[in-house]
Amino acid sequence: MVFRKRKQKTPFEGGGVVLFLDVHDAMKAERVLTDAGHLVKLVAPPPALRKGCDLAVEINLVEKVGIERLLDQKDVVYVSIAPLKVETSGLLEIVKVTDFGDWVMVKAANMKLTFDKKEGIIVNTSGGGCPDIPYLHAELIGKQLTQAPLPRDIGFTLCALMLNRALEEGIKLWSGGSSP
Amino acid sequence: MMLIVGTIPIKDLPLTLGRVRAEGEWLALNGHSIPCTQGTGAMISAALAATDYLKLEPPQVLVAGDIGEGSGSRQIYEYLIQRVAELSPQVLALHYCVPDMALMRRLCQSIKGCAKAPILVADAGSMYAAKAAGLATEFDLFTPDATEMAFLADPDATHPAYISKHLFDLDISQTPKLVADAYRQRSAAKLLLVKGAIDYVARDGEVLATIAEPNIPELEAIGGTGDTITGLVSALAYAGLKLDEAAIIAARANRLAGRSATITPATKVSQVVDHFPAVFQELAPQKEETKMVEIDVRGFSCPIPVIRAKKAIEEKPKEVITVLVDNAAAKENVSRLAKSEGYSVEIEEVGENFCLRLSPPKNR
């Protein structure tokens, strides 16, 4: 008997999993994400993350924002998206604020957003390393905090999620009149 | 060749490899226009300013459009995996891309096929992927900011958004501890340039240098001013400087440009880049203090390089003489002349040129 060499698949290491209550949903998610060009893999969820279904979809965790949006648009029901390594901390929730006199800089993880105190106009964004960040830089600068598009709506990655957090905090500081 | 690799936030920009040139606030590349804004555009602009000043060939760049959905990033990496050995750059700087551990692993494997190992630099998403995939030690230089340094020091984080709260809370003065932790966990490149209120240059867990002056806090708010440092250090390494020296000069030049541009948090990075030529000139007089004679005889064939070198030896017998040539015959002839005069000769390849450093005998 001749054994054929199995065709080698493209290696994949995603670092994150989408968790489901139902196998059907997991399979639907795998199809939706693959059709959209994402590299994904059906896997067993780690025991510590199991949410009732024995099937999960491994994703590139960095693409969390774009994947959440796509699943919502395609009505795929899922429980949550989590890092595959259970030792990984949760998403960083805290922000830091720096007062530059006429401007305020809000920092969330690796992302920073700066606006002018008087008009609430976004004058700069900095930090980050994913490709949607230079795009969001161009989309946000010059816009008023409350009129700017939300990074989580037009971005795709964890960096966009952190920029979104900085923007939300900026809006809170500015509209609440509590800017330093 | 120096090769800068990264995505550009223009959705339809195809995968493009070529040399860039500056066109006002834009970069021209094979008929495409790339903005000098935060990201790889800023990095290329800074590197180009340095290569222009040093009269080196401009950087080659490999870019593709990507606004975060990842297709441009994957095109870049797949192309580079196939072609990097053939391109064999002297400096390879990897920048904004969707962090993908498997692609980074394949790329590092392909880089091993280069005839000579390139100086390997990573920043932004490429640095995230290298750390997350456990490949940090294969890199010569990472250029994280202070938060990204915490990410490198956190053994469980695969992205800076997941660093532990206690690491995010650390003050910039705690960076040496993070540096030591990152080296202990093999999550750091051979050299680190940590960008922040204080810039740190570190190797093997030890801080080699700190750069804190001039103190320009507003730089942190301006998108792209970290990218410019990475571009500068890459170009200076390409010019033949030792990587730690290149890192120190790049960090200082960035601060000086910020001061010279009288920046505010609302300044654009292109305004900082505009000040690099003047800053390079400001830094240049330090070279004269070391009593060095420089002869640029690129474009000349022998005997001109030999005649010019001999004249310098006769006129300045106690000084170090550097001779820049662009052909092997001139390199050999000038070396032979210098050795016959008792000089020691060090030769460095700088792009497609040779830089000969002629040091006079000590008893002269």
Side-chain angles (χ1 to χ4, degrees):
Chain A
M1 185 182 282
V2 176
F3 288 92
R4 280 203 185 151
K5 195 174 177 184
R6 188 180 289 180
K7 191 180 172 191
Q8 199 175 0
K9 285 188 177 176
T10 306
F12 175 63
E13 300 169 65
V17 277
V18 191
L19 301 166
F20 303 89
L21 289 172
D22 189 296
V23 170
H24 170 76
D25 291 328
M27 296 184 70
K28 184 177 173 187
E30 193 250 356
R31 195 172 60 248
V32 163
L33 294 171
T34 304
D35 288 349
H38 291 282
L39 281 177
V40 300
K41 189 167 67 173
L42 284 168
V43 294
L49 295 175
R50 192 159 294 182
K51 299 284 185 188
C53 167
D54 285 338
L55 205 56
V57 176
E58 185 176 352
I59 59 161
N60 187 345
L61 186 59
V62 175
E63 298 175 326
K64 175 181 159 78
V65 173
I67 284 175
E68 279 176 337
R69 188 165 62 237
L70 185 60
L71 294 178
D72 289 343
Q73 282 168 356
K74 299 289 183 183
D75 295 322
V76 181
V77 180
Y78 62 98
V79 179
S80 63
I81 293 179
L84 202 48
K85 283 172 81 175
V86 290
E87 299 86 356
T88 304
S89 304
L91 280 168
L92 206 53
E93 298 288 342
I94 53 169
V95 297
K96 290 179 181 175
V97 177
T98 306
D99 187 355
F100 281 114
D102 290 339
W103 300 272
V104 177
M105 180 175 78
V106 184
K107 179 176 177 179
N110 56 335
M111 293 309 310
K112 289 152 267 189
L113 178 141
T114 304
F115 62 93
D116 88 67
K117 284 181 185 174
K118 198 173 168 192
E119 304 292 338
I121 303 290
I122 300 168
V123 296
N124 244 313
T125 64
S126 62
C130 296
D132 46 358
I133 292 310
Y135 167 67
L136 290 167
H137 178 83
E139 291 294 313
L140 266 62
I141 285 181
K143 299 212 169 66
Q144 213 275 343
L145 286 163
T146 55
Q147 305 296 317
L150 289 176
R152 72 156 184 258
D153 287 346
I154 60 169
F156 296 83
T157 67
L158 289 170
C159 289
L161 197 58
M162 292 299 106
L163 186 59
N164 200 81
R165 191 151 289 164
L167 175 59
E168 284 173 346
E169 187 65 20
I171 292 170
K172 229 185 277 177
L173 285 170
W174 189 71
S175 57
S178 56
S179 58
Chain B
M1 178 224 300
M2 170 188 181
L3 181 61
I4 297 176
V5 176
T7 56
I8 300 295
I10 300 173
K11 200 171 183 351
D12 301 325
L13 180 71
L15 183 73
T16 306
L17 174 69
R19 287 202 193 284
V20 282
R21 62 187 162 77
E23 252 181 21
E25 281 194 21
W26 294 76
L27 296 162
L29 170 67
N30 295 5
H32 303 288
S33 291
I34 295 172
C36 169
T37 53
Q38 185 199 20
T40 302
M43 181 191 181
I44 296 169
S45 299
L48 184 58
T51 54
D52 276 355
Y53 181 81
L54 295 168
K55 297 188 169 46
L56 298 172
E57 60 185 28
Q60 284 263 22
V61 303
L62 174 64
V63 297
D66 194 335
I67 61 166
E69 84 289 357
S71 57
S73 301
R74 286 188 278 275
Q75 280 179 39
I76 286 173
Y77 268 74
E78 290 292 356
Y79 181 90
L80 206 52
I81 287 164
Q82 300 302 321
R83 298 282 306 277
V84 70
E86 182 188 328
L87 293 167
S88 254
Q90 289 159 273
V91 176
L92 176 57
L94 305 173
H95 207 222
Y96 272 71
C97 280
V98 169
D100 187 312
M101 292 181 275
L103 284 175
M104 181 57 83
R105 204 178 297 287
R106 288 170 57 209
L107 176 59
C108 284
Q109 195 58 39
S110 294
I111 289 170
K112 291 190 170 79
C114 291
K116 188 179 171 196
I119 295 171
L120 200 50
V121 179
D123 185 43
S126 296
M127 178 177 69
Y128 302 174
K131 185 265 182 177
L135 295 164
T137 55
E138 303 206 9
F139 283 74
D140 296 290
L141 175 67
F142 281 173
T143 52
D145 66 15
T147 305
E148 290 166 337
M149 189 61 241
F151 158 67
L152 296 178
D154 188 332
D156 298 316
T158 53
H159 187 279
Y162 281 101
I163 58 173
S164 300
K165 180 180 172 300
H166 76 278
L167 293 177
F168 183 65
D169 279 343
L170 288 178
D171 181 70
I172 186 78
S173 64
Q174 299 293 308
T175 296
K177 181 188 176 312
L178 297 176
V179 165
D181 288 348
Y183 275 100
R184 201 173 305 118
Q185 292 152 23
R186 298 176 60 77
S187 296
K190 296 179 185 83
L191 190 79
L192 290 177
L193 166 53
V194 188
K195 305 172 285 197
I198 302 169
D199 302 315
Y200 292 88
V201 178
R203 188 192 297 282
D204 297 330
E206 297 291 329
V207 173
L208 305 176
T210 55
I211 303 99
E213 297 296 335
N215 181 24
I216 316 286
E218 294 83 359
L219 277 170
E220 188 183 2
I222 301 171
T225 51
D227 306 315
T228 51
I229 294 187
T230 310
L232 290 181
V233 66
S234 300
L236 293 172
Y238 175 57
L241 266 71
K242 287 182 185 167
L243 208 46
D244 49 1
E245 290 172 356
I248 293 166
I249 293 171
R252 184 158 163 72
N254 212 52
R255 287 165 181 268
L256 290 169
R259 183 177 69 183
S260 178
T262 55
I263 59 166
T264 73
T267 299
K268 292 178 183 171
V269 69
S270 59
Q271 294 168 260
V272 178
V273 171
D274 287 344
H275 285 260
F276 281 135
V279 165
F280 298 148
Q281 278 187 336
E282 192 180 332
L283 291 170
Q286 293 172 4
K287 276 198 233 170
E288 290 172 11
E289 289 164 15
T290 63
K291 291 199 170 181
M292 189 182 283
V293 179
E294 292 181 341
I295 303 170
D296 184 349
V297 278
R298 288 175 296 172
F300 294 99
S301 53
C302 282
I304 301 295
V306 174
I307 292 169
R308 295 275 302 276
K310 186 166 173 49
K311 189 164 179 275
I313 286 171
E314 287 167 353
E315 288 176 355
K316 309 270 185 182
K318 292 184 178 174
E319 295 180 17
V320 174
I321 300 165
T322 60
V323 187
L324 196 58
V325 300
D326 61 1
N327 62 83
K331 178 189 74 168
E332 294 303 326
N333 292 338
V334 172
S335 296
R336 200 175 302 122
L337 164 78
K339 285 175 184 169
S340 72
E341 297 283 343
Y343 280 65
S344 61
V345 179
E346 295 170 56
I347 302 173
E348 272 188 285
E349 282 189 43
V350 183
E352 289 164 359
N353 306 309
F354 300 98
C355 182
L356 286 72
R357 184 184 165 90
L358 317 179
S359 303
K362 285 186 179 143
N363 57 359
R364 183 160 289 190

